[in-house]
Amino acid sequence: MKKTVLFSLAYISTIAFFSCSSNESIACYLPPTTVSSNSPLVPGGTLQLNTPSYGNGTTYLWSGPNNFQLTSQDSTISIANVTTAMAGSYQVKAVKGICATPEVASVVEIVAPSIPCSPASNKITFQSSMIPNSVTFNSIISSTSSGNYEIRASGANADLTIEFASSATPTAGIYSINGSCPTSFLSNGQVCVSLNYNNQYSNAHSGSVYLTNENGHLTATFCDLNFQISTITLVASTKVIVP
């Protein structure tokens, strides 16, 4: 009788063990996450995607248009020189051990800027009957000697400087002109545009500079900016391609 009892207990124990392992599963979820970007962008810009960090040991699985996939240990990623074909929905989920967040998405817009003029490359044109209507730039350089990134273009009787807000190479985009420079600090997204014509210096006080990336070359374009040279107002347009 004792043997039968022992046998029954062992039998029951075996059934309970296999029942637990086959019918129960473990699920682990990280708290829901979010994703953000610096959209909208223009072609040639740098896309930045951000999701909150879950600390060391976390893997972030990114996906997006055109079969874009990236596995990263960083919660922030950058994609340089974007094109309009790279617009769309970007997804991410965080994985830590056996735990994962639900996948979340952010829609990125990449739209080519509508530039209201089509000036000739590396030439500044003027709407004035009192001076030559254009000057060709024979020297174009980029420089950070002033502390900020600058595009400098020089030709006979005309020197143009476009100054940005920091020493970093600027990304493609539409920059507004700071009308009070150079006496005020530039903010991100602002530029200072100055023209030295026949040794007379002037700053543009309003308008926009369109910065694009054409075949790997930074290109700055502006349309109908006003420069006051002595008693003459020069209305100027240009497209400067940095070598």
Side-chain angles (χ1 to χ4, degrees), residues 131-132 156-159 196-201 229:
I131 62 171
N157 302 323
D159 298 312
N196 186 337
Y197 185 82
N198 273 342
N199 296 319
Q200 296 188 64
Y201 182 89
I229 303 295

Side-chain angles (χ1 to χ4, degrees), residues 22-232:
S22 61
N23 294 333
E24 294 184 12
S25 62
I26 298 175
C28 177
Y29 298 97
L30 293 174
T33 189
T34 58
V35 60
S36 61
S37 74
N38 58 337
S39 171
L41 297 166
V42 301
T46 298
L47 171 62
Q48 294 181 337
L49 294 164
N50 307 280
T51 191
S53 173
Y54 286 90
N56 294 335
T58 306
T59 299
Y60 303 90
L61 306 178
W62 298 90
S63 60
N66 303 312
N67 296 317
F68 171 78
Q69 291 186 336
L70 178 66
T71 299
S72 173
Q73 303 302 311
D74 296 321
S75 60
T76 298
I77 63 170
S78 297
I79 305 171
N81 296 322
V82 297
T83 66
T84 54
M86 298 165 70
S89 178
Y90 285 80
Q91 299 82 34
V92 66
K93 72 175 181 178
V95 178
K96 191 168 188 177
I98 63 171
C99 304
T101 66
E103 189 174 73
V104 292
S106 177
V107 175
V108 171
E109 297 180 4
I110 303 171
V111 182
S114 178
I115 303 176
C117 65
S118 301
S121 299
N122 299 332
K123 179 185 292 187
I124 188 167
T125 58
F126 303 108
Q127 298 178 24
S128 175
S129 59
M130 303 182 66
I131 62 171
N133 61 5
S134 67
V135 173
T136 299
F137 295 128
N138 50 42
S139 173
I140 299 171
I141 64 170
S142 61
S143 172
T144 57
S145 62
S146 69
N148 288 341
Y149 185 95
E150 294 181 341
I151 297 174
R152 299 178 183 176
S154 300
N157 302 323
D159 298 312
L160 175 72
T161 301
I162 304 173
E163 180 183 358
F164 295 82
S166 74
S167 60
T169 301
T171 59
I174 302 175
Y175 293 76
S176 61
I177 292 175
N178 184 321
S180 60
C181 69
T183 57
S184 65
F185 291 103
L186 294 172
S187 300
N188 288 333
Q190 290 186 331
V191 290
C192 181
V193 181
S194 58
L195 177 68
N196 186 337
Y197 185 82
N198 273 342
N199 296 319
Q200 296 188 64
Y201 182 89
S202 177
N203 278 91
H205 294 290
S206 63
S208 299
V209 172
Y210 303 86
L211 199 66
T212 56
N213 193 315
E214 298 186 7
N215 299 319
H217 295 280
L218 207 59
T219 302
T221 304
F222 60 71
C223 307
D224 300 335
L225 296 189
N226 291 334
F227 297 92
Q228 191 67 38
I229 303 295
S230 185
T231 59
I232 303 172

